[in-house]
Amino acid sequence: SGISYAADTIKFSTNGIERFAISNSGLSGDGSGLTGISGGGKVLQVIEGTSTSQTSVSTTTYSDIGLAVDITPQTNSKVLVLVNFQHNMNSNQEEGFGIKLLRGSTQLYQSASQAEWYAYTASSGQFQNRATFNFYDGNPGGNGSTALTYKIQAATYASRTVEFMVNGSRSTITLIEIGA
């Protein structure tokens, strides 16, 4: 019984039987058999926002990339934020980017530089990859009736152009509300 982690999956099980799983491909299981959890720590809801709309960012000022989701958490709940997004850089252009995570207008995280993800080689080529990012929001300030918006912004190194969700690639921001 317990929680197990793999490269892209969190599994909850009892008596060796998987009851619920969260992965890059979505949610599975019905949570049956997950008993004995008292007080805090229960998963209250899982909300996923997706985007397949290609977006380009060419500025050192953080701007929305179209990856956002709303959640209405209960009082004293916590929120685990899981982000998975596709990006494309031209390696011979010294392209890079940093991200910012916001809850409403409150900044929760910002990259140390606009080159947290960076690509450079002397030869021409495209660097296409997925980036993942997790953040535990220990004090979202939910009240059970007001929706909170979590979103990702990006800024680029030296105002180079970085593209996100290229050719309809699916990117996600998943929020897991954990009861107090």
Side-chain angles (χ1 to χ4, degrees), residues 8 18 30 36 88 94-95 103 111 135 146 169:
D8 64 351
E18 181 181 311
D30 61 6
N88 183 27
E94 290 188 79
E95 292 178 351
R103 178 190 359 95
S111 295
F135 183 85
T146 303
S169 294

Side-chain angles (χ1 to χ4, degrees), residues 107-134:
Q107 176 181 306
L108 300 175
Y109 172 83
Q110 179 176 325
S111 295
S113 76
Q114 292 154 347
E116 183 171 0
W117 287 274
Y118 185 78
Y120 176 73
T121 63
S123 60
S124 178
Q126 288 192 343
F127 175 73
Q128 297 181 24
N129 204 351
R130 287 202 162 269
T132 59
F133 172 78
N134 302 323

Side-chain angles (χ1 to χ4, degrees), residues 2-13 18-31 34 41-48 80-84 134 170 172-178:
I3 301 172
S4 62
Y5 305 92
D8 64 351
T9 305
I10 300 172
K11 294 180 180 179
F12 302 85
S13 62
E18 181 181 311
R19 305 298 182 165
F20 182 75
I22 303 167
S23 71
N24 291 339
S25 59
L27 306 173
S28 63
D30 61 6
L34 290 177
K42 290 183 182 178
V43 173
L44 301 179
Q45 63 177 319
V46 179
I47 307 290
E48 181 179 70
L80 178 60
V81 182
L82 308 173
V83 181
N84 183 313
N134 302 323
R170 184 175 183 266
T172 62
I173 180 169
T174 303
L175 306 179
I176 302 172
E177 181 185 358
I178 302 165

Side-chain angles (χ1 to χ4, degrees), residues 11-91:
K11 294 180 180 179
F12 302 85
S13 62
T14 57
N15 300 322
I17 300 170
E18 181 181 311
R19 305 298 182 165
F20 182 75
I22 303 167
S23 71
N24 291 339
S25 59
L27 306 173
S28 63
D30 61 6
S32 64
L34 290 177
T35 61
I37 301 172
S38 61
K42 290 183 182 178
V43 173
L44 301 179
Q45 63 177 319
V46 179
I47 307 290
E48 181 179 70
T50 64
S51 179
T52 57
S53 299
Q54 185 168 324
T55 303
S56 294
V57 176
S58 303
T59 178
T60 57
T61 302
Y62 283 88
S63 60
D64 294 349
I65 64 168
L67 194 52
V69 67
D70 293 339
I71 190 169
T72 305
Q74 300 300 310
T75 302
N76 297 323
S77 286
K78 316 301 184 202
V79 176
L80 178 60
V81 182
L82 308 173
V83 181
N84 183 313
F85 58 95
Q86 188 273 344
H87 58 87
N88 183 27
M89 296 182 279
N90 290 310
S91 59

Side-chain angles (χ1 to χ4, degrees), residues 100-108 148-151 153:
K100 185 186 281 190
L101 171 65
L102 298 156
R103 178 190 359 95
S105 61
T106 301
Q107 176 181 306
L108 300 175
L148 305 175
T149 301
Y150 287 78
K151 68 180 179 177
Q153 294 183 331

